[in-house]
Amino acid sequence: VSSQLAMDVGKKDSIASDSSEQVVNPWEVAAKDGGKIDYDKLIDQFGCQRLDDSLIDRVQRLTSRQPHVFLRRGVFFAHRDFNEVLDAYERGDKFYLYTGRGPSSEALHLGHLIPFMFTKYLQEAFKVPLVIQLTDDEKCMWKNLSVEESQRLARENAKDIIACGFDVTKTFIFSDFDYVGGAFYKNMVKVAKCVTLNKAMGIFGFSGEDHIGKLSFPPVQACLSVPAVPSFPSSFPHLFPGKDKLRCLIPCAIDQDPYFRMTRDVAPRLGYSKPALIESSFFPALQAKNGKMSASDPNSAIYVTDTAKEIKNKINRYAFSGGQDSIEKHREIGANLEVDIPVKYLSFFLDDDTELEHIKKEYGEGRMLTGEVKKRLTEVLTEMVERHRMARAAVTDEMVDAFMAVRPLPSMFE
């Protein structure tokens, strides 16, 4: 085990072993007593870097366009080697993007859309190709779904992803059940041989009671899923022939970081560049009870299939308010913006910076009431969900087949 990985494993173990601390890993996100996730502590524990203003300004200079709202407002807040990707890009070296989705539900909620919305911006801004992985095999093992149901959900989720507006000439979507084999499987075996049982157990916390499918998946996941093999360009010979040194940038939520620590340890030993990461905070539940929105609690989430009436009802009934318990008191001391979920959601999805700052000032000083803020959020989310619903309705099975076809991408690096 390398010294860096040993240090990373120790950090992860310290998170998992102390029950008084927050737990953040690919399967669980929880803060002490249901409180806030301490992102500064996560950066320190995981060993990644803060995404500072100088990097954001550099993105604007290199792309000649305004940084995405998720960059401007700190939704994507941490990174690994993003500066090196920008260095290479400035020298004229291209890179490719990789992200994914574990298809465990029929419909996505807004939290699921965030990485895809941001990845679409990166694809357009840097004019680079994108690989999107659907880990239907993972969900088959972890969610006890049949192979057939996992594959069906993968195609349904692909329709929601395509509806985000990706360029079919620069995007390859694949499911593990369909694509794994050939060059991809060769890289899986190479990675699996670099991962000891102790290493996997140290990173992922497996026990003797876990079935062998779970134990075997991280090398697969490291080879296939959110970390390793999709971040190695030789896994896609039809896309990147002769480009084995091509760098990969992975937009993801910070709970996926443990996978990539293993990937980054293995990559140089196999002759590949370490993948770079740009990592986001979590999209909170409506009730603000834990670290992120959960698909298992329908009242904690806004789904892309929700009607306007359902969205309004969920926001009015469940969105935790930082406003005071009486109008008089609210007018006197204003809202607590740190805990107010409607303001947090507007910070994600209201594009207008000036309007957002106005709402925060007026609400924070008591001149705007909770009902007014929730009304504006309802308008923003209803418009967004309806726009997505219409785009998804236009996605045909033939379009899914086109995105998932194993073929060269003619305009990869325009």
Side-chain angles (χ1 to χ4, degrees), residues 89 94 123 126-129 167 169-170 410-414:
Y89 184 81
K94 295 292 188 176
Q123 183 183 61
F126 289 98
K127 299 179 175 62
V128 292
D167 183 349
T169 67
K170 289 186 173 71
S411 59
M412 278 198 309
F413 291 112
E414 283 186 355

Side-chain angles (χ1 to χ4, degrees), residues 43 107 128 136 151 171 211 275 281 338 389 403:
I43 287 176
V128 292
D136 43 6
Q151 290 183 295
T171 305
H211 64 67
S281 57
E338 287 298 311
R389 183 184 292 114
F403 272 91

Side-chain angles (χ1 to χ4, degrees), residues 195-268:
V195 181
T196 66
L197 179 60
N198 285 338
K199 189 183 295 185
M201 293 183 72
I203 293 175
F204 300 106
F206 293 134
S207 74
E209 300 303 311
D210 286 306
H211 64 67
I212 195 170
K214 288 186 178 182
L215 187 64
S216 66
F217 192 74
V220 177
Q221 185 91 0
C223 306
L224 351 134
S225 185
V226 184
V229 167
S231 64
F232 300 159
S234 65
S235 298
F236 306 102
H238 65 289
L239 300 181
F240 310 121
K243 298 181 182 294
D244 289 359
K245 298 299 182 182
L246 191 66
R247 295 211 55 159
C248 178
L249 174 63
I250 306 168
C252 63
I254 198 168
D255 59 337
Q256 299 300 304
D257 192 89
Y259 277 134
F260 296 110
R261 296 206 296 275
M262 184 168 70
T263 303
R264 285 166 56 83
D265 176 72
V266 167

Side-chain angles (χ1 to χ4, degrees), residues 112-145:
H112 294 144
L113 285 186
I114 286 170
F116 295 109
M117 294 169 67
F118 187 64
T119 300
K120 177 178 179 289
Y121 153 77
L122 291 173
Q123 183 183 61
E124 292 178 345
F126 289 98
K127 299 179 175 62
V128 292
L130 164 66
V131 172
I132 299 175
Q133 181 180 24
L134 302 173
T135 56
D136 43 6
D137 53 347
E138 177 195 21
K139 295 307 176 183
C140 178
M141 285 190 279
W142 258 264
K143 298 293 185 180
N144 198 28
L145 299 171

